[in-house]
């Protein structure tokens, strides 16, 4: 198509545009365009980096909360000398202390069962064995993976059990057995282990020292230790103090208040055994008087265990087995009626007037559990359950043992409260 007359053709006439661009000009233009795009902040529908940072912060906060507690425990234990590093510890049979979470990959399948149902043992149960707990009314609970137990107590809140093993060549151990079947070792290789009545504290012997720690969340915290004479053993908790027998072969006890100073020498030289406490805080024990003769006594821990009341009459055994009712009136204790070993019932309200004892049943083995002020239970030497009714015993009808159903022959259950 030709151009109109008198008008120039833009395809052939007029100024021509130059398409020759130097490399440096092109590079500058690209740089300027990219810099403008970077400088311009544009909102994004999704911020992956921000989400990742927020998620990491949440995880860090959760781990920090748990880590601070474990870190505090580790710091306390290290400062108290409980955490020992290296192959040379300088002691034999040092306790193993769990200060962190257990390996949950090895968590056993829950197999604890009530009476009438036997557990299905797993591999570790075949190695360690199980332990049967028995309540005062005869119900039973089988705990796998704990081995042979000496005593057991319910954890605060009922979340499981604190189980003290029987003594072996390696010493005693303390385990936490949770309701879901998880077993944690708190102590191993300890000489003697004593639990507070509320299961919130534990005292034990480690080498040449006595130690006390709190039990919180399946861990030991706030440990305190003191050097103790060879052979000294913790006996029981008395408030915030620990009753200690410096030499089990001799009479005498002392009180150690953790954190308030070292263990002192025996503050009394007469006490042989303690059976429990009265509601007012005083203790009931067995004291040595004339050679070969022992008496009952009420002792005041605030006055260096000084006897404030004594009563002689019942022929008591020196095995230290005994228990007091919650109201402080009745004492079940091992002794003799004539030449026969029996469990004796003593009225502590008549302690000062030469009290008499009546036969309550066969000799006691292990702990005594009081259901109320008038009923108590214990196990005899064969592991049979003895249920004592105070009214019947006072009427001349001692209790008789009854076998616990479901316990394998040869196994000895452990009597517990709160099952």
């Amino acid at each position: 198509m030709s151009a109109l007359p008198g008008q120039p053709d833009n395809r052939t006439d007029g100024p021509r545009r130059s398409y020759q661009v130097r490399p440096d000009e092109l590079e500058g233009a690209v740089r300027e365009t990219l810099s403008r795009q970077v400088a311009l902040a544009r909102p994004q529908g999704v911020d992956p980096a921000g989400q990742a940072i927020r998620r990491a912060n949440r995880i860090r906060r959760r781990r920090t909360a748990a880590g601070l507690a474990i870190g505090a425990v580790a710091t306390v234990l290290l400062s108290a000398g409980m955490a020992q590093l290296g192959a040379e510890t300088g002691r034999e049979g040092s306790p193993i202390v769990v200060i962190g979470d257990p390996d949950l990959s090895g968590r056993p399948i829950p197999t604890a069962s009530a009476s009438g149902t036997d557990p299905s043992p797993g591999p570790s149960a075949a190695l360690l064995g199980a332990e049967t707990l028995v309540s005062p009314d005869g119900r039973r609970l089988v705990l796998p993976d704990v081995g042979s137990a000496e005593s057991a107590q319910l954890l605060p809140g009922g979340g499981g059990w604190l189980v003290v093993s029987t003594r072996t060549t390696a010493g005693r151990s303390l385990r936490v057995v949770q309701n879901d079947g998880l077993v944690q070792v708190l102590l191993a290789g300890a000489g003697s282990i004593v639990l507070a009545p509320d299961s919130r504290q534990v005292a034990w012997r480690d080498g040449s020292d006595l130690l006390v720690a709190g039990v919180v969340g399946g861990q030991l915290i706030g440990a305190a230790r003191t050097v103790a004479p060879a052979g000294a053993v913790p006996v029981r908790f008395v408030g915030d103090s620990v009753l200690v027998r410096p030499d089990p072969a001799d009479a005498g006890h002392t009180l150690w208040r953790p954190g308030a100073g070292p263990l002192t020498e025996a503050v009394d030289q007469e006490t042989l055994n303690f059976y429990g406490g009265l509601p007012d805080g005083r203790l009931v024990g067995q004291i040595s008087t004339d050679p070969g003769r022992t008496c009952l006594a009420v002792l005041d821990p605030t006055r260096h265990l000084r006897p404030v009341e004594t009563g002689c009459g019942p022929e008591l055994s020196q095995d230290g087995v005994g228990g007091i009712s919650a109201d402080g009136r009745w004492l079940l204790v091992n002794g003799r009626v004539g030449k026969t070993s029996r469990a004796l019932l003593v009225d502590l309200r008549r302690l000062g007037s030469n009290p008499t004892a009546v036969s309550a049943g066969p000799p006691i083995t292990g702990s005594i559990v009081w259901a109320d002020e008038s009923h108590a239970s214990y196990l005899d030497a064969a592991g049979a359950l003895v249920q004592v009714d105070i009214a019947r015993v006072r009427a001349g009808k001692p209790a008789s043992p009854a076998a616990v159903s479901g316990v394998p022959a040869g196994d000895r259950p452990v009597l517990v409260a709160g099952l």
Side-chain angles (χ1 to χ4, degrees):
M1 180 175 181
S2 62
L4 295 175
Q7 293 182 357
D9 189 346
N10 61 0
R11 292 179 297 173
T12 58
D13 299 330
R16 295 181 177 273
R17 177 179 297 175
S18 175
Y19 293 96
Q20 299 296 325
V21 180
R22 296 193 305 272
D24 58 340
E25 294 178 348
L26 179 59
E27 181 179 351
V30 172
R31 289 179 181 275
E32 182 178 359
T33 300
L34 293 177
S35 64
R36 289 177 179 176
Q37 291 180 353
V38 172
L40 180 61
R42 297 179 180 178
Q44 295 184 357
V46 178
D47 184 8
Q51 290 181 347
I53 292 173
R54 288 191 294 272
R55 189 181 303 113
N57 287 336
R58 289 195 298 270
I59 295 173
R60 185 172 61 235
R61 285 194 296 268
R62 288 196 298 266
R63 290 181 176 176
T64 299
L68 286 175
I70 294 177
V73 172
T75 302
V76 171
L77 297 181
L78 286 169
S79 63
M82 292 175 58
Q84 301 174 356
L85 304 179
E88 294 297 329
T89 62
R91 294 181 182 172
E92 296 180 358
S94 298
I96 300 172
V97 182
V98 177
I99 61 174
D101 292 334
D103 182 6
L104 300 184
S105 63
R107 179 189 290 261
I109 298 175
T111 53
S113 59
S115 60
T117 304
D118 291 326
S120 300
S124 56
L127 295 176
L128 271 178
E131 183 59 58
T132 302
L133 307 184
V134 178
S135 68
D137 59 1
R139 290 180 298 120
R140 65 185 181 88
L141 178 72
V142 179
L143 298 181
D145 305 340
V146 298
S148 180
E150 183 176 76
S151 62
Q153 289 185 192
L154 193 65
L155 284 169
W161 300 88
L162 281 176
V163 181
V164 178
S165 74
T166 55
R167 186 176 182 86
T168 66
T169 55
R172 289 184 175 86
S173 65
L174 175 64
R175 288 178 169 87
V176 172
V177 183
Q178 298 182 7
N179 287 340
D180 62 358
L182 179 64
V183 179
Q184 296 173 257
V185 179
L186 293 188
L187 293 172
S192 298
I193 299 176
V194 174
L195 300 176
D198 59 3
S199 298
R200 298 183 185 276
Q201 295 185 87
V202 57
W204 72 98
R205 174 90 193 206
D206 171 27
S208 60
D209 296 343
L210 291 177
L211 297 96
V212 172
V215 181
V216 177
Q219 300 177 15
L220 299 183
I221 65 170
R225 79 164 63 214
T226 185
V227 177
V233 294
V235 175
R236 63 184 303 116
F237 279 87
V238 181
D240 294 330
S241 301
V242 179
L243 185 68
V244 179
R245 188 166 184 173
D247 187 352
D250 293 330
H253 288 76
T254 188
L255 286 169
W256 172 47
R257 185 176 180 85
L263 181 69
T264 60
E265 296 182 356
V267 296
D268 84 281
Q269 303 294 334
E270 296 179 339
T271 55
L272 296 172
N273 299 293
F274 284 87
Y275 303 121
L278 300 177
D280 60 8
R282 295 180 300 170
L283 304 175
V284 176
Q286 178 187 29
I287 62 173
S288 175
T289 55
D290 299 332
R293 187 185 183 193
T294 64
C295 297
L296 289 171
V298 175
L299 304 104
D300 190 348
T302 65
R303 301 171 62 185
H304 305 292
L305 299 176
R306 181 180 302 173
V308 294
E309 189 177 9
T310 59
C312 302
E315 187 176 352
L316 305 176
S317 170
Q318 295 190 24
D319 58 9
V321 178
I324 302 174
S325 59
D327 61 355
R329 178 174 182 179
W330 302 108
L331 167 66
L332 274 176
V333 60
N334 278 341
R336 298 178 68 87
V337 177
K339 296 182 178 180
T340 305
S341 296
R342 300 290 289 174
L344 305 179
L345 178 67
V346 180
D347 188 350
L348 295 178
R349 291 183 181 176
R350 303 180 61 185
L351 188 62
S353 58
N354 294 325
T356 58
V358 295
S359 175
I364 306 165
T365 302
S367 61
I368 301 170
V369 175
W370 288 85
D372 52 39
E373 290 80 3
S374 301
H375 297 85
S377 300
Y378 64 88
L379 298 175
D380 68 1
L385 181 63
V386 182
Q387 297 174 312
V388 178
D389 185 322
I390 301 300
R392 289 178 58 85
V393 168
R394 297 182 67 192
K397 299 178 181 179
S400 300
V404 180
S405 62
V407 177
D411 286 1
R412 178 179 178 78
V414 174
L415 185 65
V416 297
L419 181 59

